[in-house]
Amino acid sequence: MADQNSSTGNLTGDLLDPILRQDPATPRITYYDDATGARIELSALTLANWAAKTANLVRDEFGLAPGARVSVLLPAHWQSAAVLLGCWWAGLEVVLAADLDADLALVTADRLDDVADVAEVAALSLDAFGRPVENLPVGVTDYATSVRVHGDQFRPDRADPSAAALDGQSVGHVLQAARDSAAAQGFSGTDRVLSTSQWSNARDLTDGLLAVLSVGASLVQVDNLDETRIERRIESEKVTARRA
């Protein structure tokens, strides 16, 4: 298990191990989409299970070894968090852009044209009930269909904190940046952090997701925010901090 002030060299282990050891059952990500009314809540254990399924998928189905590059073009969403954590658990480098030299791309259906020349592509519907993406082109894998058959436990290979994890930044650098961001934003392990930010670049992902997990806080992520609901949500979710 990772110590909260050190690095194992595996970013997902560094982020999740302390939480799983201390409090696996408390909600860790609560996701809202105000346009559809969806609300999904994941404990640390459930998040880890989804991350493990993703790690097994990229290793066993796509054959990716530690150090492979994965292009991730996904919005701020609980499934996106599982994808990112799964890729890092498998020792992969995440690139938050359409990288045509990537070994795999994980994208929403509307971004398929951006990664048409990537060797392997998996599409996410982000559907709350796990429905697949309809009418996918031949050769594109449906994430929801494929990931569910993989195991929810994962044993990572020996890791290197100097290995690239996010847009060329090392595991150690990303972890330290997350901890520094949490300190700058005043997050602690007891906080429920409300965020409406996207994770379209390394800075926003670090500030909006990794900083929260790095201190053992929990995230309330809201998409398509309806401002008329915000005060009630802050009260009902016991929000103690907010990221715009």
Side-chain angles (χ1 to χ4, degrees):
M1 295 262 179
D3 182 274
Q4 222 160 353
N5 295 312
S6 65
S7 173
T8 65
N10 184 285
L11 186 57
T12 296
D14 289 329
L15 294 169
L16 291 188
D17 277 1
I19 300 171
L20 290 168
R21 181 173 62 243
Q22 295 165 13
D23 190 1
T26 294
R28 200 56 50 183
I29 294 180
T30 305
Y31 172 79
Y32 283 92
D33 184 343
D34 282 353
T36 65
R39 180 186 185 277
I40 304 291
E41 190 164 85
L42 285 80
S43 67
L45 184 58
T46 303
L47 180 60
N49 288 345
W50 274 98
K53 284 179 174 291
T54 302
N56 284 311
L57 170 71
V58 299
R59 182 187 65 185
D60 299 340
E61 191 159 330
F62 291 108
L64 300 190
R69 290 162 62 87
V70 180
S71 180
V72 176
L73 304 178
L74 298 171
H77 191 279
W78 72 266
Q79 289 184 35
S80 305
V83 163
L84 291 163
L85 292 167
C87 289
W88 288 321
W89 219 348
L92 310 183
E93 178 188 0
V94 168
V95 181
L96 299 177
D99 181 354
L100 301 186
D101 293 325
D103 301 285
L104 169 68
L106 289 147
V107 302
T108 48
D110 61 322
R111 302 296 302 271
L112 286 173
D113 287 345
D114 296 335
V115 295
D117 294 325
V118 176
E120 297 279 3
V121 178
L124 283 80
S125 67
L126 303 181
D127 182 78
F129 299 101
R131 296 188 183 95
V133 180
E134 296 182 355
N135 302 316
L136 279 177
V138 174
V140 176
T141 298
D142 179 69
Y143 172 86
T145 301
S146 295
V147 79
R148 65 168 58 101
V149 303
H150 289 275
D152 57 10
Q153 300 293 320
F154 183 77
R155 185 180 295 276
D157 295 324
R158 185 178 297 275
D160 177 2
S162 66
L166 177 61
D167 286 352
Q169 301 172 36
S170 70
V171 173
H173 178 91
V174 174
L175 181 63
Q176 189 57 55
R179 290 170 174 165
D180 290 345
S181 175
Q185 296 182 83
F187 298 160
S188 72
T190 59
D191 277 322
R192 287 273 282 167
V193 180
L194 177 69
S195 176
T196 59
S197 300
Q198 287 301 308
W199 305 334
S200 53
N201 57 59
R203 177 62 183 272
D204 289 343
L205 176 62
T206 299
D207 292 345
L209 174 66
L210 305 186
V212 175
L213 295 178
S214 73
V215 293
S218 60
L219 177 66
V220 180
Q221 179 68 38
V222 182
D223 198 13
N224 300 309
L225 175 67
D226 179 349
E227 288 285 357
T228 65
R229 304 180 186 179
I230 197 67
E231 293 304 322
R232 185 172 62 218
R233 182 161 300 138
I234 288 172
E235 180 179 1
S236 65
E237 294 292 348
K238 298 181 173 58
V239 168
T240 58
R242 183 174 179 182
R243 172 168 172 73

